[in-house]
Amino acid sequence: MNILPREFYLQDTILVAKNLLGKKIVRKIGNQKISGIITETEAYRHMDDPASHAYKRMTERNKAMFEDVGRAYVYFTYGMHYCFNVVAKNSEFDAGAVLIRAIEPKEGLEIIKKNRKISDFRNLTNGPAKLTQALQISKEHYGIDLTKNGELFITEGIVKQKRITSNPRVGIKEATEKMWNFRIKI
DNA sequence: CCCTAGATTTACT
DNA sequence: GTAAATCTAGGGC
């Protein structure tokens, strides 16, 4: 399975958010492997997006959003949860990232269940903090390169007709009129 | 099924 | 000091 190249992420953040649907996240832990198909994403941009962490300026937390595309932006929130983003933007913007909100587990289901401590299939990876738990993603992966075959990367996924639906983004208070949440059904 | 409350720490104001 | 791109359990319907 081919890893997505750097150029894939060098486009408008919103376009990348849509294009990431149906792609595959691969997580390697030692000789074990977990993977899943991306089913829900959200785009967060820069100056035009009050809901974005990068809206005001660069800070210690959000600096990854201003740096290389194709890398991970992982942040800690609500005192207990990590969320996983992919840095993506075109040259018009200084910052941008795509929040991965949900995946459909493919490989390593046993490991995922163990990490999540539940077996209810529907609740395994259907939220941004659930999937970081399932894939054991944490701040150690801040800035990791997702275009290299390492601990964590993204490859081509299912190649079939995608029916993308747009929705308001979840859990934000600003810019709720922007329909930058995207989903597919598998 | 829906709703509410509580968990718990970081980083920005 | 306080809000935060969330999740879970528990109660009611």
Side-chain angles (χ1 to χ4, degrees), chain A residues 148-168:
Chain A
K148 291 201 169 74
N149 187 336
E151 275 189 68
L152 184 62
F153 53 95
I154 303 178
T155 72
E156 291 292 344
I158 56 174
V159 188
K160 71 172 184 184
Q161 197 66 25
K162 289 188 289 188
R163 293 231 322 272
I164 300 177
T165 52
S166 302
N167 308 278

Side-chain angles (χ1 to χ4, degrees), chain A residues 3-111:
Chain A
I3 296 181
L4 299 178
R6 184 88 52 206
E7 302 82 61
F8 178 90
Y9 305 99
L10 203 59
Q11 303 179 81
D12 180 46
T13 310
I14 295 165
L15 187 61
V16 177
K18 291 181 187 171
N19 288 345
L20 274 172
L21 294 170
K23 299 292 188 283
K24 187 158 113 177
I25 297 184
V26 182
R27 171 82 169 103
K28 283 187 188 167
I29 305 168
N31 56 0
Q32 314 206 78
K33 186 173 165 187
I34 308 173
S35 71
I37 300 297
I38 299 172
T39 56
E40 182 178 354
T41 62
E42 271 173 21
Y44 286 89
R45 227 152 55 171
H46 185 211
M47 302 298 285
D48 64 338
D49 186 5
S52 171
H53 287 165
Y55 178 52
K56 289 180 181 170
R57 64 181 168 281
M58 185 161 76
T59 64
E60 192 56 31
R61 178 175 67 161
N62 68 21
K63 66 181 180 190
M65 289 182 71
F66 291 81
E67 295 174 350
D68 295 341
V69 301
R71 288 178 179 273
Y73 167 46
V74 180
Y75 66 87
F76 186 73
T77 191
Y78 290 111
M80 44 177 43
H81 296 302
Y82 290 100
C83 292
F84 170 62
N85 298 247
V86 185
V87 180
K89 58 183 186 280
N90 64 13
S91 52
E92 288 177 46
F93 291 92
D94 289 335
V98 177
L99 171 67
I100 309 299
R101 288 193 60 86
I103 65 175
E104 179 87 6
K106 281 288 171 208
E107 300 168 81
L109 207 49
E110 291 310 311
I111 311 172

